[in-house]
Amino acid sequence: MNEKFYSLKKEKQDKMINGAMQIFARYGYRHASTDEMVRVCGVSKGLWFHYFENKPGLYSFVASYGLKYAMLELSMHQIKNGTDYFSVRYSIEECKMVMMEKYPYLPLFLYSILREEDPDVSELIKEPRQKYAEALSKIMLQADYSALRDHEDYLLLTDMLDYTIEALMNDSYRSPVFAPERYLMEVKKHLSAMEKLL
Amino acid sequence: MNEKFYSLKKEKQDKMINGAMQIFARYGYRHASTDEMVRVCGVSKGLWFHYFENKPGLYSFVASYGLKYAMLELSMHQIKNGTDYFSVRYSIEECKMVMMEKYPYLPLFLYSILREEDPDVSELIKEPRQKYAEALSKIMLQADYSALRDHEDYLLLTDMLDYTIEALMNDSYRSPVFAPERYLMEVKKHLSAMEKLL
Amino acid sequence: MNEKFYSLKKEKQDKMINGAMQIFARYGYRHASTDEMVRVCGVSKGLWFHYFENKPGLYSFVASYGLKYAMLELSMHQIKNGTDYFSVRYSIEECKMVMMEKYPYLPLFLYSILREEDPDVSELIKEPRQKYAEALSKIMLQADYSALRDHEDYLLLTDMLDYTIEALMNDSYRSPVFAPERYLMEVKKHLSAMEKLL
Amino acid sequence: MNEKFYSLKKEKQDKMINGAMQIFARYGYRHASTDEMVRVCGVSKGLWFHYFENKPGLYSFVASYGLKYAMLELSMHQIKNGTDYFSVRYSIEECKMVMMEKYPYLPLFLYSILREEDPDVSELIKEPRQKYAEALSKIMLQADYSALRDHEDYLLLTDMLDYTIEALMNDSYRSPVFAPERYLMEVKKHLSAMEKLL
DNA sequence: AATGAATGAGCTTTCATTCAT
DNA sequence: GATGAATGAAAGCTCATTCAT
């Protein structure tokens, strides 16, 4: 089924992917309406169902696509400025900002996928979602945890950072225009605060 | 408007409140359907609108009711086993488990209220939501922060704990049967882990 | 069935009749809601159905009652100021203003009954409606038609007057407060205009 | 919004317009149900809302359309048999019978539009309704009023004729089959009666 | 007698999905 | 491949009517 889609012009593919990402990311699976996707990307209603059997099919495609694309970008992204935990964690967020050039709503969409619990799709996206989580973990595991390692149960600390960063991301998208630099600055501030603690 | 509802038999009031809480907590405001409330608590469709002007009216009533009930329970709940931050934080979760005896979905609903952003209701519940948040803060402020106070930006640490507890709660409701003891054990484990760190 | 109603205190009877008349007259049969009757006259919902089997039953009762009451008033009303057609026609409108003392919406209701075409009730009220029309005709036939009689098909002229008077009545009720004197003045003006023509 | 509708096949457009006209004309705005339109013209429920935002939108479209169509027919209609008031008045009714070939309920609908007072739509149709009234006035003003002009307050006479004609129209639609010839004969009879009087 | 809680059919409207062109 | 007209199930809500108290 997806081969058909891939034989479209890349430009149109991305127009549709961006339209779906935006609506899914902002409203969640169930609340995203096909009419709104038509509105934001100008591709006719029938075409969505021509390429994707139904709404779950569309969601699972776009989610898988987005997760894979994110993993690709992550794998290509050079980690600069040191390999300690905090630098690596920050570097991932920098990488997300790069993704935005092609798929502006992808960073928000990635979080919404991880939180999506609608029974119609949660099973469908289980696997790519998990792989993405593992890819992130893998990158993080390559980091230098010397600053944290001494603490028994230090995973809780890293979880806290993850939650904080997610909240900052959500706030950023809520503002009229997403400003990547401002977002990155906020992330850095919070990471440093934690770093100082240890 | 609400006087009518309060003149119902308490038993029926609670049946309706529980029905609404369950559906609102699980699906969020917009996705909660009256039909489903009819299904889970056997009260006819028309009756919901006999007592509550419309869906926002119902939501704001049940949310206010739930928040007030939670505050009442919190105010009555004796804090045992010390007044240090971690004991108090745990005590609040114990208290939530008590609420469940009357309103099984209330703890989950409380979180969903705090996250609810639907423009149709967010303004309506602003005040009680804030009061509840303040009540929780007040309880926490009476705790002994000596273990945390020394850390600059220690608020980040407490936020992390809040996020963690919320996630554990969500996980608990996702399992076929909510097991309060198991939940409390998980909370205790995580709190202790953090405590040890300091 | 109506005996039950008649055994109520006259005061309450009239309260209910006035409530029903007001709502039926202003909104027509189908658009009149029992809830609104409850609101305007404070008599509980169940009672309406206790005395009147259903909505058509209520309508047919109140319509018959109103028509009969109007006929009674008409039969008792002394015609002053001459017996020529125009004086008699005016006198009928004076009589309607008298009815308003007990049933403020009756004059409007009488017209709305004549125009009511809802299939649920049109058959039910056919007879009293016709009797009322005949009673009016009878009164008019006793008038002195010497000013009109010479005209072949003079009935058309009288129809026109009837339509004009109905329109004036409707306009009067539409104003915030119905002012009987103002209404009667308008009627007189129009009748005189026609009189001059002949 | 209406461009979408106009791009439909003319045949289907007219099927929908006729369905809406029939139901609106017979029951008035508020009492006209989309279900009944579905029944009389076989076009599915959802489609009405695909083309028209909501019920007021549908009403205002069909009303404007009907009024414009009527004005067009009136402007094209040749007035035969003299230009005196009575001939012109009769000619308008002939013209309405022509409209019926395409839109059988249009003549009845035109009257119901002029009487429509539902607050949801009265403002929406104010302008076309007024234009139609003006167009009719304009036609009538070109008539030869020499037979009427001498009478002070002769406007009352013309109003009476208008009321009479409207009543005849309503009666005609109430009969099982609308018979245009019969209707026209009745109109002619009444007009002549008045004419003789002057 | 009197109340108003309770019901369910029916209303307007939305939306995923199908299908003719 | 591409469109958008067309469908119908389901949503929130209204209202005549029933029924327990």
Side-chain angles (χ1 to χ4, degrees), chain D residues 137-153:
Chain D
S137 298
K138 212 168 150 189
I139 293 172
M140 290 313 301
L141 284 173
Q142 289 163 0
D144 172 9
Y145 276 71
S146 53
L148 292 152
R149 204 165 23 209
D150 299 339
H151 299 274
E152 194 186 347
D153 303 320

Side-chain angles (χ1 to χ4, degrees), chain A residues 7 89 98 113 122 129 141 154 157 183:
Chain A
S7 66
R89 191 69 195 76
V98 174
I113 295 168
S122 61
R129 177 155 78 172
L141 285 173
Y154 67 85
L157 296 176
Y183 167 72

